[in-house]
């Protein structure tokens, strides 16, 4: 893929661009040889933001590889960040945003101080409010599938100013319901970046699922 490389440090997530197409891909357990075709497929299918989870073997090296391959065409972040050690590993590798399964205050504080987009996870009203008060760019409501779109509608009633990222069980078929209920963005993982499809190099199937998500937003 003929994309310009960028430095490991200094890149920031373009939040305006993300809000126009508020879709976040989550990749876990990917192998190095799958990075380039996945980037090509994701970009060609219209995806603009993707994360590699830090519990993937060699995650930092994979993030570095993906940012080099993608250049400016795909915003690459780190997911499942659980402490400041992982945070600095991810940022050193070129991650442009940080996603967490829960609120880790030192991680959010560092990101806020340095202008880095950060998405801490939460579920209950108290957790959601606390994450937002600590400086979340958006609060990742996880796992969203446990309560569905109706929960977003209830949460948004008292918390209209809090931006929510729906994560867990999101499909092209139900994404619209989450947006209608108040979600600002949605994330998707294994249903699109299926490990079997990756290993078998069935990137056409991945591309079709991404395109379905893009169409659900547009």
């Amino acid at each position: 893929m003929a994309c310009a490389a960028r430095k490991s440090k200094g890149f920031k997530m373009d939040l305006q661009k993300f809000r126009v197409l508020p879709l976040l891909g989550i990749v876990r357990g990917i192998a190095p040889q799958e990075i380039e075709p996945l980037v090509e497929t994701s970009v060609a299918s219209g995806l603009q933001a993707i994360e590699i989870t830090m519990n993937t073997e060699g995650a930092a090296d994979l993030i570095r590889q993906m940012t080099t391959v993608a250049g400016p065409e795909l915003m690459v972040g780190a997911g499942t960040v659980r402490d400041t050690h992982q945070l600095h590993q991810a940022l050193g590798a070129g991650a442009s945003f940080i996603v967490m399964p829960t609120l880790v205050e030192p991680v959010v504080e560092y990101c806020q101080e340095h202008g880095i987009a950060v998405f801490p996870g939460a579920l209950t009203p108290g957790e959601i409010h606390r994450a937002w008060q600590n400086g979340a760019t958006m609060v990742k409501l996880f796992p969203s599938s446990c309560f569905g779109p109706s929960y977003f509608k209830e949460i948004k009633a008292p918390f209209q100013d809090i931006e929510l990222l729906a994560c867990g069980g999101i499909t092209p078929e139900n994404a619209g319901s989450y947006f209608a209920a108040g979600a600002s963005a949605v994330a998707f993982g294994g249903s699109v970046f299926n490990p079997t499809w990756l290993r078998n190099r069935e990137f056409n199937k991945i591309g079709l699922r991404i395109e379905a998500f893009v169409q659900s937003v547009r």
Side-chain angles (χ1 to χ4, degrees), residues 10 26 69 72 82 98 129 137 144 150 176 180-181 185:
I26 303 170
V69 171
R82 296 174 57 188
I98 300 296
H129 183 254
T137 303
S144 294
S150 61

Side-chain angles (χ1 to χ4, degrees), residues 10-217:
F11 184 77
K12 300 289 177 66
M13 184 183 203
D14 186 339
L15 287 171
Q16 183 177 355
K17 185 177 180 181
F18 180 63
R19 287 188 171 99
V20 171
L21 187 67
L23 298 174
L24 172 59
I26 303 170
V27 180
R28 178 177 282 106
I30 192 170
Q33 65 270 21
E34 296 158 2
I35 292 287
E36 186 167 349
L38 180 61
V39 168
E40 292 177 344
T41 298
S42 297
V43 171
S45 302
L47 188 63
Q48 297 177 347
I50 194 168
E51 69 174 71
I52 294 177
T53 64
M54 291 301 289
N55 58 356
T56 296
E57 184 177 355
D61 288 338
L62 293 168
I63 291 170
R64 184 175 293 107
Q65 180 184 352
M66 185 173 279
T67 59
T68 299
V69 171
E73 296 187 64
L74 189 64
M75 294 177 279
V76 180
T80 320
V81 175
R82 296 174 57 188
D83 53 45
T84 55
H85 175 68
Q86 291 181 332
L87 167 68
H88 292 297
Q89 279 188 317
L91 294 178
S96 66
F97 59 91
I98 300 296
V99 185
M100 297 180 286
T102 187
L103 171 64
V104 183
E105 292 184 13
V107 172
V108 175
E109 181 180 358
Y110 183 92
C111 290
Q112 188 178 40
E113 289 177 353
H114 293 82
I116 299 161
V118 60
F119 304 81
L123 182 60
T124 68
E127 292 171 347
I128 292 167
H129 183 254
R130 184 180 176 191
W132 186 253
Q133 289 294 101
N134 273 269
T137 303
M138 290 184 189
V139 180
K140 184 180 80 170
L141 204 160
F142 171 80
S144 294
S145 58
C146 288
F147 297 98
S150 61
Y151 187 62
F152 281 74
K153 186 176 181 179
E154 296 294 333
I155 289 294
K156 290 294 286 187
F159 296 141
Q160 294 181 358
D161 60 323
I162 296 180
E163 292 192 87
L164 300 174
L165 167 70
C167 181
I170 312 301
T171 67
E173 293 73 28
N174 66 23
S177 297
Y178 282 94
F179 283 117
S184 295
V186 301
F188 51 85
S191 63
V192 174
F193 305 108
N194 184 299
T196 300
W197 294 349
L198 288 169
R199 298 297 176 268
N200 293 340
R201 304 185 71 82
E202 296 178 285
F203 294 99
N204 60 314
K205 293 182 179 179
I206 294 173
L208 288 172
R209 290 297 284 172
I210 293 173
E211 289 173 7
F213 265 105
V214 172
Q215 289 302 316
S216 76
V217 173

